[in-house]
Each structure stands twice: as C-alpha cells, then as structure tokens.
Amino acid sequence: MAAETDATAPGGLAGEMEVEAYRRLFPLAFLERHLRESVRPDARRLAEARPTTVALGAVSSAHGSALVRLGDTAMLASIKLEVMSPPAETPDQGSVAVEFHMPPICSPLVRPGRPAEAAPVISKALEDVLMSSGMLNLKELCLISGKASWVAYLDVYCLNADGSLFDAALISVVAAFTHLEIPLVSVGDDGRVFTVGGNEGKTKYELVNREKRKLTLGDIPFPLTCALHKDSILVDPTAEEESIIETSVTVVLDSSGRLVSIQKPGGGVTSMAAIKACIGLAKERGQKLKEILTDSIEAMEVDQAE
C-alpha cells in the first residue's frame, strides 16, 4: 500500500511518467513552459553552456589529437601528417584536408550505410573557419620549397551527437592542432622525403628539421551556437532543443575578439539586436574556452614532465 502511495504521489514514479509523456507529446509547449521561468529542461540558465572538457593526445598513433566533451556531445579529432609535393601555385606551403564523420553509433538519426546529411556541411564549415581565421600558417608545413611539404589529414569523429556539433568539432580541431607535433624528416638518396623516428634515426640520417616542433598558431577561433525562440536566446542547445527550435546562429570569434564567421542555417528572420546579443555571448564563451584549452595544455605538460 505504501509503495502504491509513493508511486502516485506528485513527485513519484507516476508523476515522472506524466511529465515525460507531456515532454514527448508536446515538446514545444514543454520547452516554452520552462522558458517562461528562464530555465531550460536540463536545469541550465538560458545563457549557460554545458560543462566542457578537453583531453589532448587521445589517439597515440596520431601526430596530434584531442577528445572534447560538450555536455553529452563528444568529438574526437585526429591529425596525421604525410609528405607530398606541393602544387606549383603554392610551392612553399603545405595543406590541410578536413573530413567530418558521423558513424551510426553517434545518433539514432544516422542510418547505417547512409552518410549523415550534416557531415559534409560541418566539414566545409570547419575548413572555411580554419582557412579564414588565420590560425594556421601553411608555410610552416613546408619542408623543401617546391619539392616537399606536409599535408595534414584532419579527421573529426562524432562519438555522440547531442547538439552543438559544430562547436564541439571546432573545439576538438583547435585542441588537436595545439597538440600537433611535427615529426623529424630526412631526404633519401633517391630524393624521397621520409619521416625519421627514435634517437637512432637522428644520428643515422641527415635531417631536414633538427628537432620535433609545434606549429606556431595565430589567433584561435572559438565558436558558440545559440538557438533563438521568440525573445529567448539559448546558448549551446542540446539535440532536443535543436529539434524544437528552428532558428539558430553560430558565431565564431578569434582569441582577439575579432569576428571570423556567422552562420545561420535557415529558420526565421533574426533581428540585428539578437545577432549582437549572440556575439556578446560568444565573447564570454570564447574567454571560457580559452581558459579550458590553456588548462588542458598545462595538464598535458605536467603529465609529460612526470
């Protein structure tokens, strides 16, 4: 009898089932009910992003890698370097090839055997931001002008998709490039450039680059996606919120506060006041992400020292 009473109490099992049923049957009404109280279904404030973590060196076989968690969204970025002959128009530059992957394991919306519609869109957006932000100096990827340079194959894997995919992907890309280490290379008798590993290789071969090194990164781009519903701006929306709210704006600012890009994929007409509000929120978010990235770099350096 006591168990039955507990189950039917307002805060009991039956009450929770009724709330969940209402959430599924009337998702917009459920969301708006929360927004009237300036809170979201996951108990966050409207301008509050989800907890964000960055782990560098997540893939031991890669030259640079990072695992990023943005709430329940998880991204893994991996960079592999290969030597290539540079094109004639840019003989003193390397290149970056970007590929974003959404395997079926990341979301029930992704069907096996069918590429996710969002994947090529995010791939192109990542490439555009990398090239326009000035973070990378492609001349640093040159080995021998006109003969050999690095191509950085950047693969980003969505391990779990729960909203703000571009944000998590770009954060993982930035983190992977901060972790990237350029390997040692030498030139063979046949003129072929090859990588050299281990201390033995340093003495056995004549090296093109004497020491492994990091890239010198310019201003780093930091993203923020906002979902816009009536007069409410929801920072870092979840997949549930994205499925309900049609209008979203993604702002990318660099570490100096300069605007890199604004993306608005469809949705209703957005006022300039709302855009400015999103940019202001992106500035605050950028500062926080900069701190998170710095902390992850310091943590990695401590681990390497030990």
Side-chain angles (χ1 to χ4, degrees):
M1 185 68 179
E4 182 179 349
T5 302
D6 291 343
T8 55
L13 179 60
E16 292 179 6
M17 292 176 64
E18 288 180 5
V19 170
E20 188 60 30
Y22 182 74
R23 184 175 191 162
R24 291 178 178 274
L25 292 173
F26 307 102
L28 179 58
F30 180 82
L31 177 63
E32 289 182 336
R33 188 172 179 178
H34 284 77
L35 296 183
R36 284 194 291 270
E37 303 296 329
S38 297
V39 71
R40 296 157 73 169
D42 59 5
R44 280 186 292 156
R45 300 187 306 276
L46 271 60
E48 182 182 353
R50 291 171 290 178
T52 307
T53 61
V54 175
L56 301 179
V59 182
S60 59
S61 60
H63 294 109
S65 63
L67 174 64
V68 167
R69 296 187 183 278
L70 180 56
D72 287 334
T73 294
M75 293 285 170
L76 179 65
S78 172
I79 303 172
K80 294 283 285 186
L81 295 175
E82 291 187 10
V83 178
M84 70 164 191
S85 297
E89 57 270 19
T90 54
D92 60 345
Q93 294 183 11
S95 61
V96 179
V98 183
E99 191 73 31
F100 181 79
H101 308 269
M102 290 188 70
I105 193 175
C106 78
S107 169
L109 300 178
V110 180
R111 302 286 185 85
R114 296 183 182 179
E117 294 181 3
V121 176
I122 295 178
S123 291
K124 183 65 167 60
L126 289 172
E127 183 178 357
D128 289 345
V129 167
L130 279 179
M131 295 301 104
S132 63
S133 67
M135 182 183 81
L136 299 177
N137 179 3
L138 296 181
K139 290 186 177 182
E140 285 202 349
L141 294 176
C142 177
L143 289 168
I144 303 173
S145 183
K147 294 183 178 180
S149 61
W150 292 111
V151 54
Y153 289 102
L154 170 62
D155 289 288
V156 184
Y157 298 89
C158 180
L159 305 181
N160 194 56
D162 187 30
S164 299
L165 301 188
F166 174 79
D167 292 18
L170 182 55
I171 296 167
S172 71
V173 166
V174 167
F177 272 108
T178 65
H179 177 252
L180 178 66
E181 192 172 61
I182 307 296
L184 303 175
V185 295
S186 181
V187 181
D189 295 335
D190 57 357
R192 183 176 59 87
V193 178
F194 58 93
T195 58
V196 176
N199 293 325
E200 181 182 350
K202 291 184 180 181
T203 57
K204 185 176 180 181
Y205 301 103
E206 183 177 351
L207 301 176
V208 174
N209 50 342
R210 295 295 176 184
E211 297 291 338
K212 292 184 178 181
R213 62 180 177 86
K214 300 281 190 178
L215 287 180
T216 303
L217 301 182
D219 287 321
I220 295 174
F222 293 116
L224 178 68
T225 295
C226 299
L228 280 60
H229 181 67
K230 296 182 179 179
D231 294 329
S232 299
I233 299 178
L234 285 68
V235 163
D236 177 25
T238 62
E240 178 186 15
E241 291 168 338
E242 288 180 340
S243 69
I244 300 169
I245 301 174
E246 295 182 355
T247 304
S248 67
V249 173
T250 298
V251 178
V252 180
L253 301 176
D254 67 20
S255 48
S256 296
R258 289 186 291 262
L259 181 65
V260 176
S261 71
I262 295 181
Q263 304 171 36
K264 181 181 173 294
V269 177
T270 303
S271 68
M272 185 55 65
I275 296 294
K276 288 181 178 179
C278 292
I279 293 175
L281 291 166
K283 288 182 179 178
E284 297 178 12
R285 178 61 171 163
Q287 289 299 318
K288 181 61 177 176
L289 289 175
K290 186 177 180 179
E291 293 173 8
I292 293 171
L293 183 60
T294 300
D295 290 345
S296 67
I297 294 172
E298 291 176 353
M300 182 190 68
E301 291 174 346
V302 169
D303 290 341
Q304 290 177 341
E306 293 177 350

